[in-house]
Amino acid sequence: MKRLKSKRTTIPIHKLQERTDLGIQLRYFTHFNKEDMRHLGAHRDDHYIFIMQDNGSSSIVLDFKKITVRGSAVLFILPGQVHHVPESEQTSGWFMAIDSSLVDKNYNQIFEEQALHQQSLEVNPEKLNQLIKCMELLSGMFDSSGRPSMPVTIIHSLASVYIGLFADLYKCSAPGKDKQNLRPEVITREFRAMVCREFKTLKNPSQYADALSLSLSYLNEVVKAVTGSPVSYWIHQEVILEAKRMLYYSDLSVKEIAFSLGYDDHAYFSRLFTKVSGIPAVKFRKDYRE
């Protein structure tokens, strides 16, 4: 009798705590093993990942966007972003996985702002040398068995310096813009962060305005001025991105996905998906899986 393939209902989540109780994991890599890449497959992490490549060429598919990493370059991956590595040639560099609670909120803010247009960044020799020295210092704080040889607080502090170097690279790469914490920018960041947390339960723009103690018209005005798009756009983008992840990486039906995302009316959800993504959900699944 033919064995039935089990139904995938969730996207795998890799948890840092299952690999270490230190909140941080470091690894120097040389030439990704293709078998290891296949074994990892597409997944999420419950933590940040910082990649510093010093040689080679690789590509990472991050939430349906292929990012090419060439030569000396850096890339970060946010907790929850679905990703896998389909290609890697003669690569070497450093990998850091770190608990979100250990990432300074100011750095976190920079990375979240960059996520919409996320790319790898080429690094000049001077900056690359700074990153390498910092990572070599960090690596030297662990013994051959991977246990810390220094107080964990010192390790976490140096890790924060390393992450700060990443954040500065991305901050300097942003288009010329007034980076002061003006009220519109602060409100927009708070709104975007709330959408990421609450999109499964809060669907109406007015709910976000109420939660932020603002009028809907003012919230819309502010968000559109800062981002170029209204409040409803960002709510729908977050919902549909999660729906795309589930369509591609799980075997749940469109109806089951709609319910899991907080929509009782799956027909409405299907229409919304088509409107926002420009393609019906079933066709998206078929096209991307092929």
Side-chain angles (χ1 to χ4, degrees):
M1 182 181 291
K2 187 176 181 180
R3 191 172 182 179
L4 294 175
K5 184 180 177 182
S6 59
K7 184 176 183 179
R8 295 176 299 174
T9 58
T10 58
I11 303 166
I13 300 177
H14 293 186
K15 298 181 179 180
L16 187 59
Q17 193 173 16
E18 294 176 353
R19 306 198 301 269
T20 176
D21 57 2
L22 302 175
I24 182 173
Q25 186 178 52
L26 312 176
R27 180 164 62 90
Y28 185 75
F29 59 85
T30 53
H31 312 316
F32 278 113
N33 183 297
K34 289 187 178 181
E35 189 60 38
D36 288 344
M37 290 191 290
R38 278 195 294 269
H39 176 70
L40 279 173
H43 64 280
R44 306 176 193 262
D45 296 299
D46 69 348
H47 49 273
Y48 267 92
I49 288 176
F50 295 95
I51 298 168
M52 177 188 64
Q53 179 177 286
D54 51 28
N55 282 295
S57 177
S58 56
S59 64
I60 296 178
V61 177
L62 187 60
D63 279 335
F64 306 99
K65 180 170 70 174
K66 185 176 181 179
I67 297 175
T68 301
V69 188
R70 293 191 181 92
S72 301
V74 296
L75 177 69
F76 69 89
I77 301 175
L78 294 170
Q81 289 186 308
V82 178
H83 57 281
H84 70 281
V85 181
E87 299 170 19
S88 175
E89 295 180 12
Q90 305 297 314
T91 55
S92 62
W94 285 97
F95 166 96
M96 173 196 278
I98 188 164
D99 190 281
S100 303
S101 64
L102 298 175
V103 178
D104 183 280
K105 65 179 182 179
N106 293 314
Y107 301 155
N108 178 69
Q109 175 185 310
I110 291 169
F111 297 130
E112 288 189 346
E113 287 176 353
Q114 291 285 325
L116 182 63
H117 305 292
Q118 200 163 344
Q119 288 291 344
S120 64
L121 290 182
E122 292 185 8
V123 183
N124 65 43
E126 180 185 357
K127 294 293 185 182
L128 179 67
N129 191 44
Q130 290 176 350
L131 290 165
I132 290 174
K133 284 182 177 179
C134 193
M135 190 53 83
E136 287 176 343
L137 278 172
L138 263 173
S139 179
M141 293 181 177
F142 295 85
D143 62 25
S144 58
S145 66
R147 300 305 301 170
S149 55
M150 297 284 285
V152 175
T153 51
I154 294 177
I155 293 173
H156 289 169
S157 295
L158 186 53
S160 184
V161 172
Y162 181 73
I163 295 167
L165 293 173
F166 262 74
D168 186 62
L169 286 168
Y170 275 93
K171 184 178 181 181
C172 292
S173 75
K177 174 186 172 183
D178 184 0
K179 294 183 175 64
Q180 296 180 31
N181 285 334
L182 301 175
R183 181 165 168 75
E185 278 79 9
V186 172
I187 291 172
T188 300
R189 283 197 296 271
E190 290 177 352
F191 162 70
R192 293 283 303 278
M194 187 178 293
V195 172
C196 290
R197 293 193 309 268
E198 309 292 347
F199 71 91
K200 290 185 180 181
T201 53
L202 302 183
K203 300 291 192 295
N204 195 311
S206 63
Q207 293 174 301
Y208 289 92
D210 291 344
L212 293 168
S213 300
L214 300 168
S215 70
L216 177 55
S217 60
Y218 181 64
L219 179 60
N220 248 325
E221 178 186 332
V222 164
V223 172
K224 190 166 185 179
V226 173
T227 69
S229 300
V231 168
S232 58
Y233 171 87
W234 295 109
I235 300 170
H236 292 158
Q237 287 297 312
E238 198 67 35
V239 169
I240 299 308
L241 175 57
E242 185 64 15
K244 286 179 176 179
R245 291 165 172 164
M246 297 177 78
L247 283 163
Y248 184 76
Y249 298 109
S250 84
D251 296 319
L252 294 175
S253 67
V254 175
K255 184 176 181 179
E256 289 171 322
I257 290 172
F259 289 160
S260 72
L261 295 177
Y263 290 90
D264 294 329
D265 185 346
H266 65 89
Y268 169 78
F269 170 78
S270 293
R271 292 194 298 273
L272 178 65
F273 186 98
T274 302
K275 179 181 177 181
V276 173
S277 64
I279 183 174
V282 173
K283 190 173 190 318
F284 173 87
R285 169 175 275 169
K286 180 177 182 294
D287 288 352
Y288 272 79
R289 286 191 172 180
E290 289 181 353

